[in-house]
């Protein structure tokens, strides 16, 4: 199957890592359905795809809502066909020490980062199963493996995403579908823009490569995993973290 026959659904493609993934896969000729929680965000995705000559468009999606997922996926299927590549990239943080963490901070992160995988992948694997080809990539995080004080909710959601990928990989490998995780370290996006100068300085001390990563450095690994060259890799987590966790 050629890239132009494939459609990739990329959640959270309005900025940061998701945008870099959309542009990188789009430049390979894959058609892109990128999502944002807002109309403005969806329009901005359509605009940057258009400006770079990539076929596809932006959609509104809230991964935390069953109905929003069902309606977004059915629109994509109607307009482009079944997405055979799904990149579960949308994610949030609500950091707090456990003693102070409110139940909404716990629930929002688990619902957005982890329960979303149940919602989206359950629908998406139907088309992949029919095509007997598919690629699912969950964007997890280094802290899923290393842990991080103040992020019990976030690191639990990301460790969960990796376990989810390993189990689903075993369920659907016989259909030619691979399921993997990419675990970024600290990448320069709006999410890490919230860190103070002192926090960044402290972080750099722990990163052998002495810099934050760029969204494109994560996107290139996703591009490899969705390619035919990665057809024998499944249930794996690839870390992109400058060596901060080995
Ligand atoms: P970001 O710049 O904060 O962008 C987040 C994206 O997710 C936006 O496109 C946002 O859409 C979307 N989003 C947020 N809540 C959503 C929801 N409920 N439904 C659908 N989309 C939603 O994030 P990023 O830094 O690029 O991170 C992308 C992924 O990488 C996340 O899963 C994050 O946990 C993971 N990660 C990031 C880092 C890092 O250092 N940056 C490190 C490890 C892992 P809107 O357009 O609506 O805002």
């Amino acid at each position: 199957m050629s890239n132009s026959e494939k459609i990739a659904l990329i959640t959270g493609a309005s900025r940061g890592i998701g945008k870099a993934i959309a542009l990188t896969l789009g430049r390979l000729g894959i058609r892109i359905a990128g999502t944002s929680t807002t109309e403005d965000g969806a329009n901005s995705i359509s605009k940057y795809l258009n400006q770079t000559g990539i076929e596809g468009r932006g959609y509104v999606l809230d991964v935390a809502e069953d109905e929003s997922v069902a309606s977004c996926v059915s629109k994509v299927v109607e307009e482009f066909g079944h997405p055979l590549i799904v990149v579960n990239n949308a994610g949030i943080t609500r950091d707090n020490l456990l003693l102070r963490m409110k139940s909404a901070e716990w629930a929002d992160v688990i619902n957005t980062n982890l329960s979303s995988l149940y919602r989206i992948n359950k629908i998406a694997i139907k088309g992949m199963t029919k095509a007997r080809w598919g690629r699912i990539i969950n964007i997890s995080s280094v802290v899923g493996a290393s842990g991080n004080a103040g992020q019990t909710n976030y690191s639990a959601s990301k460790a969960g995403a990796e376990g989810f990928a390993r189990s689903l990989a075993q369920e659907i490998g016989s259909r030619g579908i691979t399921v993997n995780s990419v675990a970024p370290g600290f990448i320069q996006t709006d999410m890490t823009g919230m860190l103070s100068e002192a926090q960044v300085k402290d972080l750099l001390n722990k990163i052998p490569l002495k810099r934050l990563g760029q969204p494109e450095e994560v996107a290139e690994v996703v591009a490899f995993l969705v390619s035919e060259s990665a057809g024998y890799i499944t249930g794996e987590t690839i870390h992109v973290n400058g060596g901060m966790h080995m």
Side-chain angles (χ1 to χ4, degrees), residues 12 14-15 17 36-37 62-63 89 140 154 158 185 187 189 192:
S14 58
R15 52 203 163 86
I17 294 171
S36 164
T37 58
D62 181 350
V63 296
N89 166 77
S140 61
Y154 184 74
K158 295 303 189 177
I187 308 297
T189 69
T192 47

Side-chain angles (χ1 to χ4, degrees), residues 138-145 162 181-185 218 237-241:
N138 297 337
I139 304 300
S140 61
S141 167
V142 63
V143 306
E162 292 177 13
S181 307
V182 174
V218 179
T237 299
I238 301 188
H239 283 262
V240 185
N241 63 29

